[in-house]
């Protein structure tokens, strides 16, 4: 699925150099090593953001397919409602229902029952017991747990950050800010809202970075903006040499750049 990631970054940047930027993004190494689905997720999120304005039905199909990774789509309904993109919402709903029906036809009711029953066990294993090491969770929840904070404190921090991200995305998508800023805000906010984010999921961060790159190329890069982007990439590249949620710091940096862009544009 790497071509989906590469094509999306190239289309966002509007330059052939986008392919090189997609290939150079350090998070792709983690995705290649473990054979995970970060490229597909980035392709769907980037594809949705690319097509929302001009091809809303296609954008809705991308959002509907993203329901295979529902925890990364938490803020999409908020953004779409705030922006009044009702055709995207209808298309996404129909797509999600169709693929759910297709899975039911292919695998039967028992698979859905087993899926629902496995959710509490999976949550307990990875978010409560830390079977995969809390330092690998690139979220504020993972950071808090890696620092031995109680689970209730970690959930409080995660809930507060998710709420802040949701409010910021809603305000930005209701505004008349340039769409590049809206897209970058949703891309970064989606990664802040979830407690469950591994290094291979950080491939998605290439999407808001590509929109920031396009903003910089069209007008100019703000002071320290390029340096901050390099720092975010360096933090991602430092994992697993630094077995802590360094990717969370990278997402925070990108989110701060988006907020700065929004403040200046207003």
């Amino acid at each position: 699925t790497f071509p989906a990631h590469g094509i999306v970054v190239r289309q966002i940047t509007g330059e052939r150099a986008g392919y090189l930027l997609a290939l150079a993004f350090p998070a792709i190494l983690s995705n290649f090593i473990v054979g995970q689905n970060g490229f597909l997720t980035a392709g769907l999120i980037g594809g949705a953001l690319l097509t929302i304005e001009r091809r809303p039905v296609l954008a809705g199909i991308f959002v509907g397919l993203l329901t295979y990774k529902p925890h990364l789509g938490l803020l999409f309904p908020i953004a779409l409602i705030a922006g009044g993109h009702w055709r995207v919402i209808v298309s996404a709903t129909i797509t999600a229902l169709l693929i759910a029906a297709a899975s039911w036809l292919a695998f039967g009711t028992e698979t859905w029952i087993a899926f629902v029953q496995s959710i509490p066990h999976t949550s307990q294993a990875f978010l409560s017991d830390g079977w995969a090491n809390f330092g690998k969770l690139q979220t504020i929840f993972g950071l808090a747990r890696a620092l031995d904070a109680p689970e209730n404190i970690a959930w409080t921090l995660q809930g507060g950050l998710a709420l802040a991200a949701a409010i910021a995305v809603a305000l930005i998508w209701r505004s008349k800010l340039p769409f590049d800023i809206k897209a970058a805000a949703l891309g970064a906010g989606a990664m802040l809202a979830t407690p469950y984010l591994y290094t291979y999921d950080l491939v998605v961060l290439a999407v808001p970075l590509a929109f920031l790159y396009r903003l910089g190329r069209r007008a100019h890069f703000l002071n320290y903006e390029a340096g901050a982007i390099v720092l975010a990439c360096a933090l991602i590249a430092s994992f697993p040499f630094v077995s802590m949620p360094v990717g969370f710091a990278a997402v925070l940096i990108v989110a701060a750049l988006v907020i700065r862009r929004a403040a200046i544009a207003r």
Side-chain angles (χ1 to χ4, degrees), residues 240-262:
F241 305 106
V242 179
S243 187
M244 286 293 286
V246 289
F248 171 62
V251 178
L252 280 181
I253 289 172
V254 175
L257 293 178
V258 175
I259 292 173
R260 184 186 182 199
R261 277 279 182 182

Side-chain angles (χ1 to χ4, degrees), residues 202-234:
L202 293 175
V203 176
V204 176
L205 193 61
V207 173
L209 282 174
F211 280 105
L212 287 174
Y213 175 84
R214 184 163 77 176
L215 281 167
R217 291 285 289 172
R218 284 181 175 177
H220 60 83
F221 286 98
L222 303 176
N223 292 335
Y224 310 112
E225 191 171 38
I229 292 173
V230 171
L231 176 58
C233 292

Side-chain angles (χ1 to χ4, degrees), residues 3 51 61 64 103 123 125-126 180 198-199 207 217 221 228 230 237-239 249 253 258:
T51 54
I61 292 173
S103 72
S123 177
F126 291 99
D180 287 353
Y198 284 103
T199 313
V207 173
R217 291 285 289 172
F221 286 98
V230 171
S238 70
F239 190 89
I253 289 172
V258 175

